[in-house]
Amino acid sequence: MTLQQLKLTCDAPGIGVVQTLRGEVEPRNPYSQWNLCDYTGDDALRVLNARLTFCQQMGIDLDQLVMPRQSHTTHVAVIDQDFFDADIAQQEQLLNDIDALVTALPGICIGVNTADCVPIALADPTHGIIAIAHAGWRGTVGRIAQRTVETMCRLGATPADIHATMGASICADCFEVGDEVPQAFEQAGFDMTEIVRRNATTGKAHIDLWRANRQVLLAAGIPADHITLPTACSRCHSDRYFSARRLGIHSGRTFTAIMRTPNS
Ligand SMILES: [Zn+2]
């Protein structure tokens, strides 16, 4: 399994952000090769194998890997000692309908699964707080990144110390949308000049989810020079990243995760 390192705009020894690459892609298999997501139709044993392989490479046990059951909400969950004291059924309940995780615990790897939506990893290395968020267009309109920052701050982080990096996700050229999408962004108060444009040929609207999330992070108080935009589009490069627009929703997901090692 190849894990791509995502860069944070700070020297934060001990904090790592990684994103899975699909690996060897079999033609006509939208789940190949590495998929850690267990609710988009992949075989459960294949998913377990991918998770075990991921954990082995990260040097953690399976119970140190935490990912939510996402559903395009703006709900944020804190992964703390209470979470680990709960039984499996309670943990599943706590992770259900959640699209962002925050933790102050070292040695715990938190991640989200995406196929074109924007994964956003956040770290406050000064206060040892990390987070991961899944922002599709609905989550972006709902300002999930801001809610995640607010939750980090409740645990002791400060916006000026937070650094954010976004993983591979759909680019504006690929993200053609119906008119209801720019309308939702406009109603939510986004600076539309930066995030929407019309394709001259098709007349269709295109939304820049990367810059929309950047606007949310800036409004949450994160300094501009602490924000890193994605370096690749999942749909343009669906051989490397899962893309729901390219492969359909019954496909694998790219896993983006952040972890702080115990002595940082
Ligand atoms: Zn693209």
Side-chain angles (χ1 to χ4, degrees), residues 169-175 210 232-237 246:
S169 43
I170 197 161
C171 75
D173 283 344
C174 288
F175 197 42
W210 303 351
C233 166
S234 48
R235 188 173 175 275
C236 289
H237 301 286
R246 193 72 85 183

Side-chain angles (χ1 to χ4, degrees), residues 87-108:
D87 63 33
I88 297 285
Q90 289 169 324
Q91 288 187 350
E92 274 183 14
Q93 195 58 41
L94 291 165
L95 292 171
N96 192 40
D97 268 342
I98 296 293
D99 285 273
L101 299 175
V102 177
T103 193
L105 297 176
I108 300 301

Side-chain angles (χ1 to χ4, degrees), residues 107-195:
I108 300 301
C109 182
I110 52 175
V112 290
N113 289 289
T114 60
D116 293 336
C117 293
V118 186
I120 308 170
L122 302 117
D124 176 341
T126 308
H127 301 96
I129 316 285
I130 57 172
I132 191 88
H134 154 240
W137 77 260
R138 287 185 179 82
T140 305
V141 165
R143 294 190 161 77
I144 188 164
Q146 182 171 353
R147 286 171 183 246
T148 306
V149 168
E150 287 163 1
T151 305
M152 292 174 79
C153 291
R154 279 205 294 278
L155 296 190
T158 53
D161 292 317
I162 294 175
H163 298 255
T165 185
M166 302 178 205
S169 43
I170 197 161
C171 75
D173 283 344
C174 288
F175 197 42
E176 180 189 290
V177 294
D179 283 344
E180 71 281 4
V181 179
Q183 278 164 16
F185 276 94
E186 191 160 19
Q187 278 164 17
F190 281 77
D191 173 2
M192 300 304 286
T193 54
E194 194 191 35
I195 65 166

Side-chain angles (χ1 to χ4, degrees), residues 36 48 51-56 58-67 79-88 91-92 95 101 103 105-111 255 258-259:
L36 279 71
L48 179 60
R51 289 185 185 184
L52 288 169
T53 304
F54 177 85
C55 286
Q56 191 178 33
M58 295 292 286
I60 57 172
D61 294 328
L62 197 56
D63 62 0
Q64 293 169 289
L65 175 64
V66 182
M67 64 185 89
I79 303 302
D80 54 13
Q81 196 52 52
D82 287 348
F83 174 84
F84 288 101
D85 291 341
D87 63 33
I88 297 285
Q91 288 187 350
E92 274 183 14
L95 292 171
L101 299 175
T103 193
L105 297 176
I108 300 301
C109 182
I110 52 175
F255 188 63
I258 184 166
M259 187 170 84

